[in-house]
Amino acid sequence: MASEYDLTPRIAPQLDRHLVFPLLEFLQDRGLYPEEDILKAKIELLNNTNMVDYAMDIHKSLYRSDDVPPEMVERRVEVVGRLKALEEAAAPLVTFLQNPNAVQELRADKQYNLQMLKDRYQIGPEQIEALYQYAKFQFECGNYSGAADYLYQYRALCTNSERSLSALWGKLAAEILMQNWEIALEELNRVKDIIDSKSFSSPLNQVQSRIWLMHWSLFIFFNHDNGRTQIIDLFNQDKYLNAIQTNAPHLLRYLATAFVVNKRRRPQFKEFIKVILNDPFLGKRVEEGNFASVPLRDEFLENARLFIFETYCRIHQRIDMSVLAEKLNLNIEEAERWIVNLIRTSKLEAKIDSETGTIIMEPSHANVYEQLIDHTKALSGRTYNLVSQLLEHAQPQIAR
């Protein structure tokens, strides 16, 4: 069953709870779990947010009743009251930010802006803090667009680096939830720059921040046009790859998927294979239960088959069709059709012997033994050049 390979229990703890909703929606659409279990999970997730109306709707759907628990009704009254109070507290600064003429008075210098707001508009630290709390509350209510705008404006005025980083994480989450992949990628890179340059109280905290960042990035990289390349650029960096291997080995599967569908990165893939030997890749069944890489499933399978076939072609001149079919996760008839199409659409020099059930390769390149001899010759030449350079460098020192 596909739920056996579901990575949600590993991924969800590394996400903001709002980012878990798309995962639950995916599981619900795929039918990996009973509908009732998914709805209960949604309600449990919503209990710690301000999305009370949404929780009420799910409760009605789950129990097939228009009645909702009294605590939900009380919670809604509390949320509405708190929202109004925060709106009033942030009103002076919000009014200023909504005035195009007034906003033109702001400069790149934060200290100047803070003094100007205080002198001309009687807006001080309390109103700026209120804007942050208002933005955060809007996010918890599910108003991601409003939250993103206010968090952006707050960061332009904030002088506290920790609070500014918190606001940046919030804006990143909001952009992901709105599926603004281009803007989300920009925010992701900003968070990365801070994580890599910031001085943490403990190295473990920095590692954990990288783990969070990589989990959040899955939403972006598997939806952004250039994401398949950028996930390799990020995850394959030593500091991030080390974090994956020690704290989140399941992320290797996403990196492997990106490598397989990205033909330009095949040279790097060969090195990466050494890393994943300790994490057996679950292939097709993983992809069917994987929220991020499902859109790439067909492309992944096709590229994986090509990679396996190319590997066999380099080693063997005669390939047993039944063995290859098993490796390609196809039956013999499907494998034969797949190979026939490959021969027709590429420059592959091969033919199928139906009587013996084999594929006969007609290599136009040197065999593996000839390649080994060539590599040895090249290595010998490079060694000779290196020794010559060392001797040339040593002679002047001996002369002294």
Side-chain angles (χ1 to χ4, degrees):
M1 184 164 178
S3 59
E4 181 182 350
Y5 304 98
D6 176 27
L7 293 178
T8 304
R10 298 187 188 184
I11 294 173
Q14 309 298 338
L15 302 175
D16 179 274
R17 64 178 51 251
H18 287 256
L19 293 175
V20 179
F21 284 112
L23 273 65
L24 294 179
E25 292 288 343
F26 167 79
L27 296 176
Q28 188 173 11
D29 291 342
R30 304 289 292 185
L32 298 182
Y33 296 94
E35 182 84 4
E36 182 179 340
D37 291 350
I38 296 293
L39 293 177
K40 286 181 178 178
K42 285 184 176 181
I43 290 177
E44 184 178 350
L45 200 64
L46 288 165
N47 285 339
N48 294 306
T49 73
N50 297 327
M51 300 168 69
V52 188
D53 289 340
Y54 185 29
M56 288 180 171
D57 291 340
I58 294 175
H59 187 280
K60 292 174 184 177
S61 176
L62 175 60
Y63 296 103
R64 296 177 176 82
S65 170
D66 289 336
D67 296 328
V68 295
E71 55 266 25
M72 279 191 171
V73 178
E74 293 172 5
R75 172 69 175 151
R76 188 180 190 282
V77 173
E78 178 187 337
V79 167
V80 171
R82 176 64 175 158
L83 180 62
K84 288 182 178 178
L86 287 172
E87 189 174 9
E88 290 176 3
L93 184 51
V94 171
T95 301
F96 168 84
L97 294 170
Q98 291 175 342
N99 184 339
N101 294 328
V103 170
Q104 287 182 357
E105 297 182 48
L106 294 174
R107 297 181 184 176
D109 186 345
K110 286 187 179 182
Q111 293 301 328
Y112 169 85
N113 293 336
L114 294 175
Q115 192 63 46
M116 182 271 292
L117 288 172
K118 182 180 180 180
D119 294 343
R120 300 185 190 178
Y121 298 92
Q122 293 73 55
I123 295 174
E126 290 183 3
Q127 287 75 30
I128 295 174
E129 174 63 19
L131 180 66
Y132 173 79
Q133 297 297 337
Y134 183 50
K136 187 177 178 182
F137 203 84
Q138 290 280 6
F139 181 89
E140 292 297 338
C141 290
N143 179 12
Y144 305 123
S145 177
D149 288 342
Y150 291 136
L151 288 171
Y152 171 80
Q153 292 161 341
Y154 169 79
R155 291 192 70 241
L157 299 171
C158 177
T159 55
N160 183 309
S161 60
E162 290 296 330
R163 185 55 68 84
S164 180
L165 178 57
S166 175
L168 185 56
W169 277 105
K171 187 170 187 300
L172 171 59
E175 299 297 351
I176 290 172
L177 290 161
M178 292 188 290
Q179 300 183 17
N180 293 333
W181 306 124
E182 200 67 49
I183 299 175
L185 180 60
E186 293 175 4
E187 304 298 358
L188 181 80
N189 288 328
R190 288 190 179 97
V191 174
K192 178 186 179 296
D193 290 341
I194 293 174
I195 291 173
D196 290 345
S197 61
K198 184 175 179 289
S199 204
F200 285 81
S201 58
S202 163
L204 292 177
N205 293 337
Q206 188 173 38
V207 170
Q208 183 57 60
S209 294
R210 288 187 174 124
I211 293 293
W212 287 333
L213 187 74
M214 286 186 285
H215 280 84
W216 290 35
S217 74
L218 295 176
F219 293 94
I220 302 169
F221 289 142
F222 284 96
N223 286 284
H224 191 278
D225 291 341
N226 198 32
R228 305 171 202 181
T229 297
Q230 298 200 31
I231 189 174
I232 294 174
D233 292 338
L234 176 62
F235 283 28
N236 212 36
Q237 292 180 31
D238 288 343
K239 292 177 180 178
Y240 287 83
L241 191 56
N242 289 338
I244 291 174
Q245 291 176 274
T246 54
N247 293 67
H250 53 277
L251 291 179
L252 291 173
R253 298 169 185 173
Y254 297 98
L255 183 52
T257 300
F259 269 124
V260 170
V261 300
N262 198 326
K263 295 180 181 179
R264 294 181 180 178
R265 296 302 182 93
R266 285 290 167 79
Q268 286 178 276
F269 186 38
K270 293 176 182 177
E271 290 299 317
F272 174 70
I273 288 175
K274 299 174 185 177
V275 176
I276 63 174
L277 288 176
N278 295 323
D279 181 59
F281 194 68
L282 298 175
K284 181 179 178 182
R285 285 178 291 183
V286 170
E287 293 311 304
E288 289 177 343
N290 200 321
F291 86 99
S293 53
V294 156
L296 299 179
R297 178 182 172 275
D298 292 339
E299 187 177 351
F300 169 79
L301 291 175
E302 180 65 17
N303 279 279
R305 287 172 182 144
L306 282 170
F307 187 74
I308 292 169
F309 188 64
E310 287 171 4
T311 302
Y312 264 73
C313 290
R314 291 193 189 102
I315 301 171
H316 306 285
Q317 284 189 311
R318 185 181 291 267
I319 305 170
D320 186 288
M321 180 69 76
S322 60
V323 173
L324 185 61
E326 182 182 355
K327 297 294 182 183
L328 298 178
N329 199 27
L330 299 170
N331 61 44
I332 293 178
E333 291 183 1
E334 290 172 338
E336 187 170 340
R337 285 198 299 270
W338 185 83
I339 292 167
V340 167
N341 287 332
L342 188 63
I343 292 172
R344 286 175 180 171
T345 58
S346 67
K347 296 180 180 180
L348 180 66
E349 296 183 6
K351 62 181 180 180
I352 297 175
D353 187 337
S354 299
E355 292 183 4
T356 60
T358 57
I359 306 160
I360 302 171
M361 304 304 302
E362 298 176 356
S364 57
H365 51 76
N367 62 36
V368 67
Y369 305 106
E370 291 173 343
Q371 291 178 25
L372 181 59
I373 291 170
D374 290 340
H375 286 311
T376 304
K377 288 179 179 177
L379 180 61
S380 177
R382 287 197 296 270
T383 304
Y384 175 80
N385 291 333
L386 181 60
V387 171
S388 298
Q389 291 174 9
L390 288 171
L391 290 174
E392 288 176 5
H393 179 69
Q395 285 174 355
Q397 294 183 345
I398 294 172
R400 292 175 191 171

